[in-house]
């Protein structure tokens, strides 16, 4: 199947290198400057999961599309949580594969860490864990969602309206609820540690600074 995919992608105008196991694939991804990686999960010597995990740990943000015969929702979630950008189950449509590759190429390979960090403040979306240094911080689901959104937009001023849309998924909620939850969050991630990562920008919104305050 790998050889057939290579021929098909070359016919579409892609330049393609082929690795037959995970160790070789990881090496190629490390030393080459690829626009995209198509990664099978069930590879000899090193699984696709581990290849993707290692690349992201090394801050290699090349777009990754995973291919797998595993079609369970947890299998897909594992791949995406490890840093894959897309996931396609076998058997798949070749036309859909090419369309998804082109979509990933349009997006590019910007920084997309699996664990979000701002100084010594870290948030792991997959494990639902937040830490400040060595200290674990317990957050409610809403507090967690708010912190994740702010950390993904670190150093940007984010308005109450934007927060309501992305964290509450509505415009109808009273905007003051954002201020209340920002207060809750500060009392957990900043105040006990003498920090000020979560800042109020008067008349504009809120900003979480990338150095962790």
């Amino acid at each position: 199947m790998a050889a057939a995919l290579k021929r098909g992608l070359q016919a579409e105008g892609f330049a393609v290198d082929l690795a037959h196991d995970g160790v070789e694939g990881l090496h190629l991804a490390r030393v080459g400057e690829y626009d995209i990686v198509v990664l099978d999960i069930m590879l000899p010597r090193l699984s696709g999961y581990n290849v993707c995990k290692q690349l992201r740990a090394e801050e290699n943000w090349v777009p990754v599309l995973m291919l797998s015969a595993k079609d369970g929702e947890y299998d897909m979630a594992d791949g995406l949580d490890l840093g894959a950008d897309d996931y396609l189950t076998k058997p798949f449509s070749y036309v859909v594969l090419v369309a998804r590759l082109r979509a990933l190429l349009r997006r590019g390979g910007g920084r997309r860490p699996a664990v979000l960090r701002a100084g010594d403040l870290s948030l792991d979306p997959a494990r639902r864990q937040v830490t400040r240094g060595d200290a674990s911080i317990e957050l409610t689901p809403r507090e967690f969602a708010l912190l994740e959104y702010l950390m993904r937009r670190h150093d940007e001023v984010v308005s109450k309206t934007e927060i309501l849309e992305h964290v509450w998924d509505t415009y109808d909620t009273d905007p003051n609820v954002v201020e209340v939850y920002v207060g809750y969050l500060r009392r957990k991630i900043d105040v006990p540690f003498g920090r000020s990562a979560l800042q109020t920008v008067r008349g504009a919104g809120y900003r979480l600074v990338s150095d962790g305050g």
Side-chain angles (χ1 to χ4, degrees), residues 19 21-30 37-41 43-58 60 62 64 66 82-84:
D21 63 63
V23 172
E24 182 186 3
L26 179 59
H27 172 71
L28 287 176
R30 281 169 165 165
V37 170
V38 179
L39 186 60
D40 200 298
I41 289 177
L43 290 172
R45 300 177 69 194
L46 190 67
S47 75
Y49 286 137
N50 286 326
V51 172
C52 187
K53 182 179 180 180
Q54 188 61 40
L55 287 174
R56 296 312 188 224
E58 296 170 6
N60 184 328
V62 60
V64 171
M66 280 190 169
L82 286 172

Side-chain angles (χ1 to χ4, degrees), residues 82-113:
L82 286 172
D85 299 277
D86 203 352
Y87 189 106
L88 199 56
T89 57
K90 305 173 189 175
F92 54 84
S93 161
Y94 179 74
V95 173
V96 171
L97 170 65
V98 172
R100 290 193 177 188
L101 291 177
R102 295 200 188 283
L104 288 175
L105 288 171
R106 287 194 296 271
R107 267 186 255 163
R111 196 173 190 275
R112 300 176 308 282

Side-chain angles (χ1 to χ4, degrees), residues 28 34 58 66-67 74 78 85 122 131 138 146 158 162 175:
L28 287 176
Y34 293 98
E58 296 170 6
M66 280 190 169
L67 295 178
Y74 290 105
D78 285 343
D85 299 277
S122 67
T131 58
E138 295 296 326
L146 174 58
V158 184
E162 289 176 286

Side-chain angles (χ1 to χ4, degrees), residues 1-10 13-21 24-40 43 101:
M1 189 181 91
L5 273 179
K6 180 178 181 179
R7 288 193 301 270
L9 292 173
Q10 286 174 329
F14 293 95
V16 183
D17 290 329
L18 179 60
H20 291 283
D21 63 63
E24 182 186 3
L26 179 59
H27 172 71
L28 287 176
R30 281 169 165 165
V31 301
E33 294 186 4
Y34 293 98
D35 295 308
I36 200 161
V37 170
V38 179
L39 186 60
D40 200 298
L43 290 172
L101 291 177

Side-chain angles (χ1 to χ4, degrees), residues 140-152:
T140 68
R142 187 74 72 187
E143 291 166 352
F144 189 96
L146 174 58
L147 180 60
E148 181 178 358
Y149 181 64
L150 292 171
M151 290 184 76
R152 291 191 185 279

Side-chain angles (χ1 to χ4, degrees), residues 167-179:
V167 178
W168 273 263
D169 195 25
T170 181
Y171 291 107
D172 297 332
T173 304
D174 184 346
N176 289 328
V177 75
V178 176
E179 187 175 340

